[in-house]
Amino acid sequence: MRLTDDAWLALGLVALAEAGPDALTIDALCLRAERSKGSFYHHFESIAAYRARLVAHWRERDTEEIIRLSLAYREATGQLDALNRLTSHLDMRLEQAMRKLGAQDPIVAHVVREVDRRRTGFLVQLHFATGDFAPDDAELVAQVSYAAFVGFQVIAPEMQADVSEHAYLRFMRLLKRD
């Protein structure tokens, strides 16, 4: 059975999460997929092209799709809650590995920076829309909460989704104290 482009990309995200950037060689991917190099080259012209597609796939799946799902709620508070629930289930190993890959590949680094800006910008928009924060404060809360999200990837990559979700909700309650 032939693997599709999407199957190769899904395989790459799993490999990256499990083994880091070193797992993204043609040989390693083909071994993992139990396919020949010819199969890989049928879908991608080079490992650089594969990485570019992989990081674009990650951005779509773990940023844009989550934003779209969050926007299904009417109120900004509901959107923030949905965003928190959805992001607490992201694979922190993949988030961290994507940043490591970005340290080796300027194209990936550029996309990771774009993702960080997109995610932070969306948080600013939601925090301001709640009416709880002035624009400058909404920006600061977004930056601090996103920094915590990225920081937890480093200091607690094994953190369970329910613990992560609870930590964010508690953080938000602390901000609202008079």
Side-chain angles (χ1 to χ4, degrees), residues 41-142:
Y41 284 114
H42 176 75
H43 296 276
F44 308 98
E45 67 183 44
S46 66
I47 195 65
Y50 176 79
R51 285 180 175 188
R53 291 268 311 276
L54 185 71
V55 72
H57 177 70
W58 167 74
R59 173 180 42 199
E60 175 57 33
R61 190 191 80 168
D62 289 7
T63 300
E64 299 305 329
E65 180 65 17
I66 286 174
I67 288 172
R68 281 192 295 277
L69 291 170
S70 299
L71 289 172
Y73 293 82
R74 284 183 182 220
E75 303 294 322
T77 302
Q79 293 169 352
L80 272 168
D81 290 345
L83 182 67
N84 180 49
R85 273 193 317 279
L86 293 165
T87 57
S88 67
H89 291 280
L90 290 176
D91 186 340
M92 292 301 138
R93 299 170 310 157
L94 178 58
E95 290 283 319
Q96 197 173 18
M98 196 60 76
R99 291 177 188 288
K100 287 178 185 173
L101 182 60
Q104 300 172 2
D105 184 325
I107 293 170
V108 174
H110 176 75
V111 174
V112 169
R113 284 191 304 275
E114 286 179 346
V115 163
D116 289 342
R117 281 191 295 273
R118 175 73 166 121
R119 289 172 174 177
T120 305
F122 185 61
L123 279 170
V124 171
Q125 173 188 331
L126 291 182
H127 284 299
F128 180 68
T130 65
D132 294 335
F133 303 102
D136 288 351
D137 293 337
E139 186 172 352
L140 181 60
V141 169

